């Protein structure tokens, strides 16, 4: 004679509650990193309709990243290490001699003053994203260096120690004008 045993049944009524509580716990305790992206300020709206005045060519520094990940500045091949100094020299040139705080070489082929200097960063579709970001960082470092030197000379403070009005003065002296077409 065979004995049939009924298998023991597990009370699973509270399993759904436990799973739900674990799900809530992990959702609450997990941090989700959010990529900040690239911090850029868009230009203010133009109050008049004549804001599309073209810049003169010597006020524009064109940086082109080609599909071979080569860097061209105004159609000349440059190395990555040169970007910071070349951008700084271009912006701080003082070609029209109107800038009393600029220490540039006053070349006729570079910008007239920091307010008129525009850096154009162009790239090919095949340019590596890593190079694009590195070049942007070098451009920002050049502007940061110029702003910090201006802050030290005018206020005898680092840029982190400035008041908001002093910081606005520094930003006005060296505005960041970067154009990224495409």
């Amino acid at each position: 004679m065979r004995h049939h045993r009924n298998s023991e049944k597990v009370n699973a009524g509270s399993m759904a509650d436990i799973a739900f509580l674990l799900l809530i716990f992990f959702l609450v305790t997990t941090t989700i990193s959010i990529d900040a992206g690239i911090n850029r300020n868009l230009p203010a709206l133009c109050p008049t309709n004549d804001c599309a005045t073209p810049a003169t060519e010597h006020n524009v520094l064109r940086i082109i990243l080609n599909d071979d990940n080569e860097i061209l500045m105004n159609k000349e091949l440059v190395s990555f290490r040169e970007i910071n100094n070349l951008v700084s020299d271009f912006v701080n040139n003082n070609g029209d001699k109107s800038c009393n705080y600029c220490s540039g070489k006053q070349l006729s082929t570079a910008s007239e003053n920091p307010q008129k200097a525009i850096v154009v960063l162009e790239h090919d579709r095949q340019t590596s994203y890593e190079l694009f970001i590195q070049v942007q960082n070098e451009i920002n470092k050049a502007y940061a260096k110029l702003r910090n030197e201006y802050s030290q000379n005018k206020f005898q403070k680092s840029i982190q120690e400035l008041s908001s009005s002093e910081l606005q003065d520094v930003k006005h002296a060296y505005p960041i004008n970067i154009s990224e077409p495409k």
Side-chain angles (χ1 to χ4, degrees):
M1 228 187 236
R2 284 191 156 165
H3 293 283
H4 277 49
R5 282 174 136 202
N6 291 340
S7 61
E8 296 289 326
K9 292 189 176 183
V10 177
N11 184 5
S14 64
M15 288 295 240
D17 294 336
I18 292 170
F20 181 71
L21 287 173
L22 284 172
L23 180 66
I24 296 296
F25 173 76
F26 287 121
L27 285 174
V28 169
T29 58
T30 303
T31 58
I32 300 172
S33 63
I34 298 173
D35 189 14
I38 299 172
N39 187 13
R40 288 280 183 252
N41 292 328
L42 295 175
L45 291 175
C46 181
T48 62
N49 291 333
D50 60 346
C51 293
T53 56
T56 56
E57 193 58 36
H58 65 273
N59 283 327
V60 178
L61 175 64
R62 295 188 188 285
I63 302 174
I64 300 171
L65 310 176
N66 65 16
D67 56 350
D68 293 328
N69 286 331
E70 295 174 327
I71 303 165
L72 297 133
M73 279 191 173
N74 289 341
K75 300 178 183 177
E76 292 183 23
L77 190 65
V78 297
S79 71
F80 178 77
R81 291 182 300 279
E82 296 176 278
I83 295 172
N84 190 314
N85 289 332
L86 290 172
V87 170
S88 181
D89 290 347
F90 174 79
V91 172
N92 205 30
N93 181 51
N94 195 19
D96 64 359
K97 300 177 182 81
S98 66
C99 179
N100 58 2
Y101 53 86
C102 296
S103 58
K105 299 174 184 172
Q106 299 176 347
L107 301 173
S108 62
T109 57
S111 73
E112 293 174 10
N113 61 52
Q115 284 78 26
K116 294 181 180 180
I118 300 170
V119 178
V120 177
L121 179 58
E122 298 179 44
H123 60 88
D124 191 82
R125 287 185 181 213
Q126 302 302 319
T127 302
S128 74
Y129 184 70
E130 185 177 339
L131 178 67
F132 179 73
I133 296 299
Q134 288 175 343
V135 169
Q136 276 192 337
N137 286 341
E138 287 301 308
I139 294 168
N140 286 330
K141 284 179 191 176
Y143 274 102
K145 180 176 72 173
L146 290 171
R147 285 179 168 185
N148 200 35
E149 287 173 4
Y150 178 78
S151 171
Q152 290 290 341
N153 291 337
K154 184 165 185 178
F155 303 111
Q156 289 76 40
K157 297 181 195 175
S158 72
I159 205 155
Q160 291 83 11
E161 300 169 338
L162 296 177
S163 68
S164 61
S165 63
E166 292 169 336
L167 185 60
Q168 288 303 318
D169 182 35
V170 171
K171 288 180 178 180
H172 177 71
Y174 288 102
I176 299 177
N177 296 320
I178 300 174
S179 174
E180 297 170 4
K182 292 185 187 180

